[in-house]
Amino acid sequence: EETLKMEGTVEDILPAAMFRVKIDNVEHIVLGHLSGRMRTNNIKVLLGDRVEMEFTPYDLTRGRIVRRK
């Protein structure tokens, strides 16, 4: 599977484990949701946290939050 990994900062918290994340390299705000592993291990993501996201090459406006830094 081909995924793109980028880092960003959580700008806004939305319902249903969705977040607005500002990506560092391109200064663009994207929509992110928690990965299943983060949900099962009950990892909390708060406003201002640094996160690592994965994107598919098909849609770069939505991604999966895979790690909190």
Side-chain angles (χ1 to χ4, degrees):
E1 295 179 11
E2 187 76 24
T3 59
L4 305 170
K5 291 192 177 186
M6 296 184 189
E7 292 184 10
T9 306
V10 175
E11 294 288 318
D12 192 18
I13 300 173
L14 303 172
M18 300 284 279
F19 302 91
R20 283 204 174 97
V21 179
K22 185 175 187 180
I23 300 298
D24 293 337
N25 300 340
V26 292
E27 297 296 324
H28 191 64
I29 295 181
V30 297
L31 195 63
H33 65 275
L34 287 180
S35 67
R37 191 173 10 158
M38 289 187 70
R39 284 188 186 199
T40 56
N41 292 327
N42 206 13
I43 307 288
K44 301 294 184 196
V45 177
L46 303 173
L47 192 65
D49 281 349
R50 304 268 307 143
V51 293
E52 183 177 315
M53 295 187 66
E54 283 185 352
F55 296 94
T56 64
Y58 303 109
D59 188 9
L60 297 177
T61 62
R62 293 174 176 258
R64 179 183 317 119
I65 299 174
V66 293
R67 190 169 140 193
R68 177 180 166 215
K69 294 193 169 199

